[in-house]
Amino acid sequence: MLLFSCKKTEEIQVEQGIQEENVEEIIAELYGFSLNDYLLVEDTIKRGDNLGKLLGDNNFNPSEVHNIVEKIKDTINVKNIRIGQPYTLVKYKKDPDVLAALVYHPNISGYQVIDLRDSISAYTKTYPVTIKRRTIAAKIEGSLSLSLDKEGVDQSLATRMSQIFAWSIDFFKLQPEDRFAVTIEEKYINDTIYAGISKIDAAYFNYRGKDLYSFPYKRPESKGIDYYDEEGRPMKSMFLKAPLEFFRITSRYTKSRFHPVQKTWKAHNGTDYAAPTGTPIMTTASGVVERAGYTAGNGNYVKVRHNGTYSTQYLHMSKILVKVGQYVQQGQKIGLVGSTGLATGPHVCYRFWKNGVQVDPLSQVLPNSEPMDKKDIPAFKEHIKPLKEELDTVINQKF
């Protein structure tokens, strides 16, 4: 079965090597309109277009447009029509000025039909999706992204793998001798059109000579999926390494430094991360916002309590994005970098408390996320056994 969403007739004709009249006939049949009675006019949504304009351009008055929108509003959200998306006007062959239907393609997964014949109706058609599974293994060539690209894999996989192994691997320092493998499931529409990665079943890295495995797993009492190594240990630390994705450390935690604003020697109980104004600041661990406000020294700041042992604070924000009492997930945006309070330039001063005492976060041996319950380990190991065997088979064949 051919896929027509987001493609013009001439594009399909070139791809499939068939005559234009045959393509139009197949399209018409797909939509449910015979070319014996109807004409197809293809176009794309342009700036300023909406359903009302499209219908108005095809001889529907405002009252009729309102009636149509009211009748289909529970089936199609007319506000979701977006610039660049294709649509097809279905017109009567005997009277080309009369519109019989409008077919809109919101994405590659299917299309929506507004039938304007005897009684107005609307419906959505979704193409069948096939899931194909494969394992890729390769050595690092330049970067993880480039290496995956050479294997013909969706670029989003590089980001997902870097998130999985973020606490074990410095992806800016990968070497040619490092290698990886990953088992993924990929979506194909109508069994032929690639639609991205649906999930990762297992992942592996040999980083600086050390084997690292990771498997997604949902514990019985967990709300979502987490990643664990082959022994059931959490892949991620309780804390991120820094509150910014890209940063430059300009001042470390120290018992004495010359304050650039107050012009005096004093302790600096935080770590300064420089970044442009407006850069998102992330909470380094999940927790509850304990304080959020402004002081002359801190500027706009947020303090998060993570548990009975740890708290963190983020100073000099240009904007606060959370409220006191709000629960925040690790990595969630809580503010934007600024230079409010006693600051000479845009940065975030990151402060870290352990048992009520401010400490240097860069010197701490920080805990992993919540460990898997011992009673869950046997079921986990049984679950990953075939996945690990599959990975190891491909790894041994490749390397």
Side-chain angles (χ1 to χ4, degrees):
M1 188 178 187
L2 297 174
L3 173 70
F4 301 106
S5 92
C6 301
K7 292 180 182 291
K8 292 291 191 68
T9 297
E10 59 269 21
E11 293 173 336
I12 300 168
Q13 182 184 357
V14 171
E15 289 183 4
Q16 305 295 334
I18 54 181
Q19 298 299 314
E20 182 173 353
E21 57 268 24
N22 293 338
V23 176
E24 288 189 350
E25 184 175 343
I26 295 171
I27 295 174
E29 290 178 358
L30 181 69
Y31 295 158
F33 299 91
S34 170
L35 282 183
N36 292 329
D37 303 310
Y38 300 97
L39 299 170
L40 303 183
V41 181
E42 296 175 345
D43 208 338
T44 56
I45 301 296
K46 299 176 180 61
R47 186 174 298 279
D49 282 348
N50 54 43
L51 181 59
K53 183 176 185 304
L54 296 179
L55 293 174
D57 290 344
N58 285 276
N59 305 314
F60 287 87
N61 62 47
S63 177
E64 291 171 326
V65 170
H66 176 75
N67 183 44
I68 292 169
V69 171
E70 284 297 306
K71 285 193 174 183
I72 68 170
K73 67 181 181 181
D74 292 334
T75 306
I76 296 176
N77 185 350
V78 298
K79 294 181 181 180
N80 283 346
I81 293 178
R82 303 191 308 276
I83 296 173
Q85 294 302 110
Y87 68 91
T88 302
L89 301 175
V90 182
K91 300 187 174 186
Y92 291 99
K93 184 172 284 188
K94 291 183 179 180
D95 192 352
D97 290 333
V98 179
L99 189 65
L102 188 150
V103 183
Y104 173 65
H105 297 275
N107 49 54
I108 65 170
S109 297
Y111 58 88
Q112 298 172 331
V113 177
I114 302 174
D115 194 332
L116 302 169
R117 292 175 293 185
D118 300 331
S119 60
I120 297 166
S121 63
Y123 61 89
T124 297
K125 173 71 175 180
T126 301
Y127 297 118
V129 175
T130 303
I131 301 296
K132 299 183 181 182
R133 198 162 176 275
R134 63 167 169 154
T135 297
I136 303 109
K139 289 185 178 180
I140 293 296
E141 295 186 45
S143 68
L144 177 59
S145 181
L146 288 172
S147 304
L148 287 168
D149 186 53
K150 290 180 180 179
E151 297 296 321
V153 186
D154 191 319
Q155 288 294 293
S156 67
L157 182 58
T159 300
R160 293 172 69 171
M161 287 188 70
S162 65
Q163 291 171 343
I164 293 169
F165 290 99
W167 290 265
S168 308
I169 296 173
D170 185 343
F171 283 88
F172 292 102
K173 295 182 179 179
L174 291 176
Q175 299 297 320
E177 61 267 23
D178 296 328
R179 55 186 188 266
F180 67 91
V182 59
T183 301
I184 57 176
E185 293 186 359
E186 298 172 292
K187 295 181 292 184
Y188 288 83
I189 296 175
N190 283 336
D191 203 41
T192 56
I193 306 300
Y194 185 71
I197 296 167
S198 60
K199 71 172 182 172
I200 297 173
D201 282 335
Y204 161 87
F205 250 97
N206 182 277
Y207 177 65
R208 298 184 178 180
K210 183 179 180 181
D211 290 332
L212 302 169
Y213 289 89
S214 181
F215 303 92
Y217 189 72
K218 185 180 184 302
R219 293 177 291 126
E221 68 278 11
S222 175
K223 293 182 179 179
I225 291 173
D226 292 303
Y227 284 85
Y228 300 88
D229 69 10
E230 69 272 32
E231 298 300 327
R233 293 181 292 253
M235 290 299 296
K236 66 181 183 180
S237 169
M238 179 179 172
F239 289 89
L240 297 174
K241 294 179 180 178
L244 304 175
E245 187 171 356
F246 301 101
F247 58 84
R248 177 172 54 89
I249 295 178
T250 54
S251 182
R252 292 178 177 269
Y253 180 97
T254 179
K255 292 183 178 180
S256 181
R257 72 152 186 174
F258 188 75
H259 196 284
V261 177
Q262 296 178 317
K263 306 299 181 183
T264 184
W265 289 91
K266 61 186 298 185
H268 183 239
N269 294 325
T271 304
D272 290 346
Y273 295 89
T277 298
T279 300
I281 299 170
M282 305 175 291
T283 178
T284 54
S286 300
V288 176
V289 177
E290 192 173 48
R291 298 176 189 172
Y294 179 89
T295 66
N298 295 342
N300 294 318
Y301 76 98
V302 170
K303 187 173 184 180
V304 180
R305 176 173 50 80
H306 306 293
N307 55 28
T309 303
Y310 298 103
S311 296
T312 57
Q313 191 175 29
Y314 312 79
L315 313 183
H316 310 307
M317 295 177 171
S318 60
K319 187 175 183 180
I320 296 171
L321 301 179
V322 291
K323 297 179 180 179
V324 172
Q326 180 179 339
Y327 179 80
V328 289
Q329 295 276 4
Q330 183 183 57
Q332 182 176 332
K333 296 178 187 177
I334 58 173
L336 304 177
V337 168
S339 52
T340 56
L342 293 178
T344 57
H347 73 285
V348 56
C349 178
Y350 175 56
R351 297 188 174 184
F352 196 95
W353 278 263
K354 181 177 181 181
N355 295 320
V357 178
Q358 289 194 55
V359 296
D360 181 3
L362 300 179
S363 68
Q364 298 298 302
V365 179
L366 298 171
N368 283 342
S369 293
E370 184 180 353
M372 186 180 296
D373 196 303
K374 289 183 179 180
K375 66 180 175 61
D376 295 331
I377 297 291
F380 168 76
K381 288 194 173 183
E382 188 65 25
H383 169 76
I384 71 166
K385 184 178 179 181
L387 299 172
K388 187 174 184 297
E389 288 176 353
E390 183 179 19
L391 268 183
D392 287 342
T393 298
V394 175
I395 291 167
N396 292 332
Q397 290 173 348
K398 185 75 174 183
F399 308 119

